[in-house]
Amino acid sequence: MYPEPARQPPAYGPVEVHQPTPITPVAAVPAPLVPVQPGQVPAVASVVLPDGRVVTGYAMSPMQPEPLAAKPVVSRAAVNVALGGVGFLAVCGGLLLLTTFITALTALITQLITLAAVLFGGFVAVQIFKPSGAKSGNTFHIRKAVFKRNHFNG
């Protein structure tokens, strides 16, 4: 259904090899090297290379690395003791907060119960000691009860 692709040999041409050619300076006459010590370090230093080229740049002093500060040696045991102490203090603080919370909650509940008892007792006292003509529809019967040998005799 489809035509077969035509098989042709690869079209490689001859390979050309290029060799780099060194660049020779044009009439480079090396100047005699005469070391001259300046009285002070110039802002820009020049160096004459053996082939006569001059390289100019800033004079730089070699960088001195800063001395390393001696680190104190800390033992693993000291680190573990310190971390254990911090953990212990955190647990103690949490327990202190928990007990403080429980104490405050207990005091609040006690005060609420006392308040309810006082209000209810006051309501009952007002109902009992009211003059008989001003009594409301609430009826309270108070009678003497006699307790003899753990038996209630009403």
Side-chain angles (χ1 to χ4, degrees), residues 16-145:
E16 294 181 21
V17 177
H18 297 281
Q19 297 292 333
T21 55
I23 299 174
T24 57
V26 179
V29 178
L33 296 176
V34 179
V36 176
Q37 295 293 331
Q40 60 182 350
V41 177
V44 177
S46 298
V47 176
V48 179
L49 298 177
D51 62 352
R53 293 181 292 164
V54 177
V55 178
T56 304
Y58 292 100
M60 295 177 62
S61 60
M63 291 200 48
Q64 298 291 332
E66 293 186 23
L68 295 175
K71 292 184 178 179
V73 178
V74 179
S75 67
R76 287 171 100 45
V79 171
N80 289 340
V81 167
L83 290 177
V86 169
F88 178 75
L89 288 177
V91 168
C92 288
L95 289 175
L96 179 67
L97 287 175
L98 181 65
T99 55
T100 304
F101 174 75
I102 291 172
T103 304
L105 188 63
T106 304
L108 175 69
I109 291 172
T110 304
Q111 289 177 355
L112 288 176
I113 291 172
T114 305
L115 178 67
V118 166
L119 289 178
F120 182 71
F123 174 74
V124 169
V126 166
Q127 297 300 320
I128 291 174
F129 295 117
K130 236 193 256 190
S132 52
K135 289 190 177 183
S136 64
N138 298 334
T139 304
F140 288 93
H141 298 286
I142 299 177
R143 51 187 185 177
K144 293 183 180 178

